[in-house]
Amino acid sequence: MTTNITFIGAGNMAEAIIASMSDMSNYCQIVCHDISAERLAYIQGKFSNIFDDTLGVTTEIDLSKAVAGADIVVLAVKPQIMAEALESLRPILQKDILVISIAAGLTTQYFENALPHARIIRAMPNTPLMVAKGATAICKGASATNNDLEKAKEIFSTAGIVEVVDESKMDITTVLSGSGPAYIFYFCELLIKAAAELGLDKETARTLAVQTIRGAGAMLETCESAQELRAKVTSKGGATEAAIKSFEAANFEGMVKEALTKAAQRAKELNK
């Protein structure tokens, strides 16, 4: 049986999720809606040769036509314009439909108030979804079923891992895995800058920094903890220890905790 999935919003994250779903094309029909005809043309062109010819991806600028017959609606618009999108969606959305939101900070109750006849799943994916290395946290609303949760897991697990969490923990996952790639990118940026200032050419610094982060990430997938792996690299009295002591002297641990705390506070403010 074919599952009809409509994406409201055709931005980068929607594109990444759709790209990851190519293995589901033998039983999924995907419709992508956006207010930008240019963006829809791009989506149509990108996926025209990737998905099964009989199913695959179509685009639709008319919202009513886009959601007609949908089994699942994925809300992939920015939180700032979500209220406007829901206002347009409410009168045309069929009753008892599964709605999955990937908007940061907006609770399942927010969507249940706006779409009282829908079953809501809230998801927090991150940008590595674009390279099939995503980390997504999901939770279900009051009316959603365990089967709904499994359907959401199926969609997001095509591009990475999925963790089911209590909604009270969603703001924490937002600032950990949702925002987390930005922290890694920032640290990589600073490593490259520092190495260049110490005399290494920038391109070589970038190549080595990127591969170091890639390799360290792969090692973290082993059974050893981050602490154990760090200890193995940190020889007593060596160069690595000098760097670690510098981090400790600057209270790097406290800086990380403060950063996540402030990010979580901001996430709660956006939720209000």
Side-chain angles (χ1 to χ4, degrees):
M1 183 180 294
T2 301
T3 300
N4 298 308
I5 304 176
T6 295
F7 283 78
I8 307 299
N12 291 333
M13 193 61 77
E15 179 185 345
I17 297 169
I18 293 169
S20 72
M21 293 173 66
S22 58
D23 289 342
M24 299 169 65
S25 65
N26 62 331
Y27 60 91
C28 284
Q29 174 64 59
I30 297 171
V31 179
C32 200
H33 164 80
D34 198 275
I35 60 174
S36 168
E38 182 180 2
R39 183 64 183 174
L40 291 182
Y42 164 79
I43 292 290
Q44 188 69 64
K46 174 169 183 174
F47 295 114
S48 60
N49 296 320
I50 296 177
F51 283 77
D52 186 281
D53 290 337
T54 59
L55 295 174
V57 178
T58 60
T59 57
E60 180 55 68
I61 201 162
D62 185 294
L63 182 60
S64 297
K65 293 179 181 178
V67 299
D71 301 302
I72 301 172
V73 171
V74 180
L75 298 174
V77 301
K78 296 183 183 298
Q80 299 94 312
I81 61 172
M82 184 62 76
E84 181 181 349
L86 293 176
E87 189 68 26
S88 300
L89 195 59
R90 185 185 301 111
I92 59 175
L93 195 67
Q94 66 184 37
K95 294 183 178 181
D96 196 34
I97 192 171
L98 175 57
V99 173
I100 301 173
S101 165
I102 64 170
L106 300 180
T107 66
T108 56
Q109 186 175 3
Y110 172 87
F111 292 102
E112 287 163 352
N113 291 340
L115 305 171
H117 300 297
R119 308 186 317 275
I120 308 297
I121 295 288
R122 178 182 173 188
M124 186 64 248
N126 63 7
T127 54
L129 201 77
M130 297 176 183
V131 291
K133 297 291 184 181
T136 303
I138 62 174
C139 65
K140 64 186 181 77
S143 300
T145 67
N146 288 333
N147 187 48
D148 293 332
L149 206 60
E150 289 303 314
K151 289 178 180 177
K153 286 175 67 175
E154 181 182 17
I155 291 171
F156 292 103
S157 64
T158 58
I161 66 162
V162 179
E163 291 288 334
V164 179
V165 301
D166 186 270
E167 186 160 18
S168 64
K169 310 300 182 186
M170 283 295 283
D171 285 339
I172 301 173
T173 68
T174 297
V175 302
L176 173 60
S177 57
S179 303
Y183 314 151
I184 305 300
F185 301 150
Y186 185 46
F187 188 61
C188 184
E189 176 188 346
L190 296 181
L191 286 175
I192 295 167
K193 182 180 180 181
E197 289 175 351
L198 289 170
L200 192 62
D201 70 274
K202 193 170 184 179
E203 193 54 41
T204 300
R206 183 187 187 282
T207 299
L208 291 174
V210 170
Q211 182 60 23
T212 298
I213 290 172
R214 181 186 291 120
M219 291 184 73
L220 283 168
E221 294 180 345
T222 68
C223 60
E224 293 183 278
S225 69
Q227 184 177 9
E228 290 170 330
L229 290 168
R230 174 173 60 83
K232 286 185 175 182
V233 184
T234 311
S235 301
K236 189 172 180 59
T240 305
E241 185 183 59
I244 296 296
K245 285 185 174 180
S246 178
F247 284 140
E248 290 173 342
N251 192 25
F252 188 57
E253 179 180 353
M255 291 168 63
V256 171
K257 184 177 180 180
E258 182 182 8
L260 263 65
T261 299
K262 288 187 174 180
Q265 289 171 346
R266 181 57 180 157
K268 286 183 170 63
E269 290 169 2
L270 291 172
N271 185 27
K272 295 177 182 178

